[in-house]
Amino acid sequence: MTDIHRDAGEAVDSVLVALADPTRRQLLELLAAQGEITATTLAAQLPVSRQAVVKHLAVLDAAGLVSGGRVGREVRYAVRPAALDATARWMAALAVDWDRRLANIKRVAEAGEREERSGPA
């Protein structure tokens, strides 16, 4: 495996791990809908503490899904779609591969059925 493929695989892994948690998915949805907002504003909309929100945001940030930037004394978070887009492309490529495999299985099964119906020569 090349370094590029390994790095891409690790990036996809971190995105999938980050998205495995329902609270993090909810945070991502809120950020996507509301734009740049603070952890305090996010915590007010969720049944978790501000500290929990900050920890979840750190996981999302490490996965490249959000970024935080200072605006005065506040840290405002925003969605970074590139990592999610890369993961979606990986999933689409995986789906194409599975579709190809399933089409081959179908072709082999149908060929077997035709041979069965035609019987021995």
Side-chain angles (χ1 to χ4, degrees):
M1 181 182 283
T2 66
D3 287 344
I4 292 170
H5 286 106
R6 184 173 32 260
D7 292 345
E10 289 172 5
V12 167
D13 289 350
S14 66
V15 167
L16 294 175
V17 166
L19 294 177
D21 184 277
T23 300
R24 289 194 284 269
R25 288 193 305 272
Q26 198 171 9
L27 283 169
L28 203 55
E29 288 173 13
L30 288 169
L31 286 167
Q34 297 176 22
E36 230 177 63
I37 51 178
T38 66
T40 302
T41 303
L42 288 165
Q45 300 174 60
L46 296 169
V48 295
S49 68
R50 183 190 175 287
Q51 291 82 0
V53 166
V54 169
K55 287 180 180 183
H56 284 299
L57 287 168
V59 174
L60 292 169
D61 187 16
L65 294 168
V66 301
S67 61
R70 276 209 179 274
V71 178
R73 297 179 70 172
E74 296 180 328
V75 177
R76 294 180 182 244
Y77 294 88
V79 173
R80 291 175 46 201
L84 198 53
D85 290 344
T87 302
R89 283 192 304 277
W90 172 81
M91 292 175 82
L94 189 63
V96 166
D97 187 46
W98 274 104
D99 287 345
R100 181 185 50 77
R101 290 177 187 196
L102 291 172
N104 285 338
I105 291 169
K106 179 181 177 187
R107 183 182 45 76
V108 168
E110 288 173 349
E113 282 180 8
R114 280 192 301 273
E115 284 179 20
E116 247 180 49
R117 279 189 238 139
S118 63

